[in-house]
Amino acid sequence: MKKIFIGCFILLLHFSYGQQKILFAEKNYDAVLKESKLQNKPIVVMFFATWCEHCKKMKESVLIDSDVINSYSSNYICIGIDAESTNGISLKNKLQDKFKIKAFPTFVFLDSNENLLSCISGEFKKEDFINEGKNALIPENQFNVVKKLFNENPSNPDYCLKFITIARKAGFDATPITQKYLKTKTQEELFSELNWRIIANGINDISADEINYIVANKEAFAKVSSPVRVEKKLVFIAADNLKPLAEVGDTLNYYKKKPIAESFKIRKVDSLLFRYDLLISERTVNWKNYQKTTELNVDKFASKDSNTLVEICSNYLEYITDKKGIENAINWTKQAINIGETTEKYSLISKLYSKLKQYDNALQYAEKGKALATGFGWKTDEIDKLISEIKKH
């Protein structure tokens, strides 16, 4: 009995200790900064979002691991901040010159004077996360040290690559760093495997002159890297620059940069631009442009993509009114049905026919949808309701 009591007591102590040692608990930043100065101990701020699954996974696994807790609590004062809260936004604004948050979670390593040591983003495994914390404590790996070394010797490729890496981790565009390095090289020197790595990793602004240079010298760069790597770089930079503009509906900058991406003459890029054109048309409620874009490009970039066809035709059903447009949507929905039958597709084409007041065709496809659902034992309530509505005409 006594042994059982002692065992339970030890478990209770262990549980209590674990509860107390929660890494990245939400605290007052100013109080943490004050504590950092008193202890002369650096800070790690975890910027998270309540909706972020990667944040949740780390909190539920990696950040409760005893090795992680011991490593970080020994070397840092840790704090968690909801990046989208009032306090989180305020802190981001205060420190915006030191780092930019582009993904969640983001872990920012600061000394007691708020100088940036390092910055990492994303979901990490235990060992990698511990190593990142240890690396941030080594002076030669810290942001300002790496920056100083490069600025003192901008022709050094190793210093350049290291500065590019740490700057990008901190959310900054490394294009100016790379351009400073490239100015120290002749054109002939650019065509080496090492310099391709610097250009590929460091030039991230699609408007930079270096991008035109890559396009004009694809074959030369392909010889020192590979055609796949050159194309991959151009596809990435098109996506990285244009997708965010499309998502926020920034038509001015999107249509300013789009011609640069078009000049790449790469099918993967053109396919991405088609999708971004649709996205920006939706964001800006420009259905005239949406219709023009689909009419020109569906056959080239979406004819074998059932999900995209359904999404486009659903938008046509809701927002497009002219007869030719609806007829196009009907044909595209038929393509989607040929790829694979679903009750959703039969319902969609039925509604499109109804929009044209072609009720016989609408009823025919609605009944096909019901037959399909019945054959699989699925519920037919919605398709029955649609059939009933069509029969009223």
Side-chain angles (χ1 to χ4, degrees):
M1 186 71 180
K2 187 177 179 180
K3 289 181 179 180
I4 294 173
F5 174 78
I6 292 171
C8 291
F9 181 71
I10 291 170
L11 285 173
L12 182 61
L13 282 176
H14 177 75
F15 176 77
S16 299
Y17 178 82
Q19 288 294 93
Q20 292 170 357
K21 287 288 184 179
I22 297 175
L23 276 182
F24 304 104
E26 295 186 61
K27 305 173 187 176
N28 179 276
Y29 175 77
D30 291 334
V32 167
L33 183 60
K34 184 177 180 181
E35 185 182 351
S36 170
K37 290 179 183 295
L38 288 172
Q39 295 188 30
N40 193 27
K41 200 173 183 180
I43 302 167
V44 188
V45 185
M46 176 188 183
F47 287 94
F48 65 88
T50 54
W51 47 263
C52 171
E53 290 300 320
H54 298 294
C55 303
K56 291 176 184 176
K57 286 181 181 178
M58 284 202 71
K59 286 181 177 182
E60 293 169 359
S61 57
V62 175
L63 301 185
I64 62 172
D65 183 272
S66 59
D67 292 334
V68 173
I69 291 172
N70 290 335
S71 180
Y72 273 80
S73 60
S74 298
N75 295 300
Y76 297 100
I77 299 172
C78 302
I79 174 176
I81 292 184
D82 180 351
E84 297 177 336
S85 68
T86 302
N87 289 336
I89 293 170
S90 175
L91 185 59
K92 284 190 296 181
N93 290 338
K94 175 187 175 184
L95 302 175
Q96 63 181 330
D97 292 336
K98 301 179 187 297
F99 60 88
K100 308 288 183 186
I101 295 176
K102 295 187 174 181
F104 295 114
T106 288
F107 297 89
V108 180
F109 299 77
L110 301 166
D111 68 15
S112 57
N113 293 314
E114 297 183 298
N115 293 310
L116 181 68
L117 304 178
S118 183
C119 187
I120 56 174
S121 297
E123 183 182 337
F124 290 86
K125 294 181 179 179
K126 167 186 168 178
E127 294 77 11
D128 294 332
F129 190 60
I130 290 174
N131 286 335
E132 290 287 354
K134 290 179 178 178
N135 287 335
L137 295 169
I138 302 171
E140 56 263 36
N141 293 335
Q142 294 170 357
F143 188 92
N144 285 338
V145 175
V146 174
K147 179 179 179 180
K148 184 173 183 292
L149 284 172
F150 170 73
N151 286 332
E152 289 176 346
N153 190 357
S155 65
N156 186 300
D158 294 328
Y159 291 165
C160 181
L161 268 175
K162 196 167 185 178
F163 190 24
I164 286 171
T165 301
I166 199 167
R168 290 188 64 182
K169 283 185 175 181
F172 293 111
D173 178 10
T175 299
I177 300 168
T178 312
Q179 289 173 330
K180 186 173 183 177
Y181 166 81
L182 294 176
K183 285 179 181 178
T184 69
K185 306 299 174 186
T186 65
Q187 285 197 357
E188 290 74 18
E189 289 176 316
L190 295 182
F191 300 107
S192 69
E193 197 278 335
L194 179 57
N195 283 332
W196 166 254
R197 282 170 55 205
I198 289 173
I199 293 170
N201 284 283
I203 300 296
N204 303 302
D205 180 357
I206 198 170
S207 302
D209 291 339
E210 288 78 7
I211 295 302
N212 289 330
Y213 193 79
I214 292 173
V215 174
N217 295 276
K218 282 183 187 177
E219 292 183 5
F221 281 114
K223 288 179 181 178
V224 298
S225 55
S226 73
V228 172
R229 288 172 67 188
V230 174
E231 180 174 302
K232 186 177 179 180
K233 169 61 182 176
L234 293 173
V235 172
F236 172 81
I237 203 164
D240 193 49
N241 281 253
L242 290 165
K243 184 179 180 181
L245 299 175
E247 288 177 334
V248 298
D250 185 349
T251 54
L252 179 64
N253 286 303
Y254 179 80
Y255 289 112
K256 182 180 178 181
K257 294 183 177 183
K258 180 185 171 185
I260 302 172
E262 289 175 324
S263 73
F264 298 170
K265 304 298 182 184
I266 297 174
R267 181 175 173 80
K268 286 182 181 178
V269 172
D270 293 338
S271 179
L272 287 176
L273 293 176
F274 163 61
R275 295 175 191 280
Y276 300 156
D277 284 347
L278 296 183
L279 180 58
I280 201 167
S281 296
E282 289 184 62
R283 292 289 189 268
T284 57
V285 198
N286 188 343
W287 297 110
K288 183 177 180 180
N289 190 61
Y290 188 94
Q291 184 174 355
K292 180 181 177 181
T293 300
T294 49
E295 287 175 351
L296 288 172
N297 294 297
V298 162
D299 288 342
K300 283 191 285 187
F301 301 120
S303 61
K304 297 179 181 180
D305 186 338
S306 176
N307 291 335
T308 300
L309 288 171
V310 169
E311 181 182 340
I312 290 169
C313 295
S314 296
N315 281 329
Y316 265 69
L317 176 63
E318 188 167 357
Y319 301 109
I320 306 301
T321 56
D322 68 277
K323 182 180 178 182
K324 180 185 175 184
I326 301 303
E327 287 175 344
N328 283 335
I330 287 170
N331 288 329
W332 295 332
T333 309
K334 287 179 180 178
Q335 286 178 237
I337 290 171
N338 288 336
I339 294 170
E341 294 179 288
T342 66
T343 54
E344 178 193 13
K345 294 173 186 176
Y346 280 119
S347 176
L348 175 59
I349 196 170
S350 177
K351 290 174 183 177
L352 287 165
Y353 271 121
S354 293
K355 195 166 184 176
L356 290 180
K357 298 183 179 180
Q358 296 181 17
Y359 298 113
D360 289 344
N361 287 330
L363 182 61
Q364 176 188 348
Y365 279 95
E367 288 178 338
K368 285 184 178 181
K370 180 175 180 176
L372 179 68
T374 302
F376 282 99
W378 299 334
K379 290 184 178 180
T380 61
D381 296 358
E382 290 188 15
I383 202 83
D384 285 336
K385 184 179 179 181
L386 178 60
I387 290 171
S388 177
E389 289 294 322
I390 295 170
K391 286 181 176 179
K392 291 178 182 177
H393 296 281

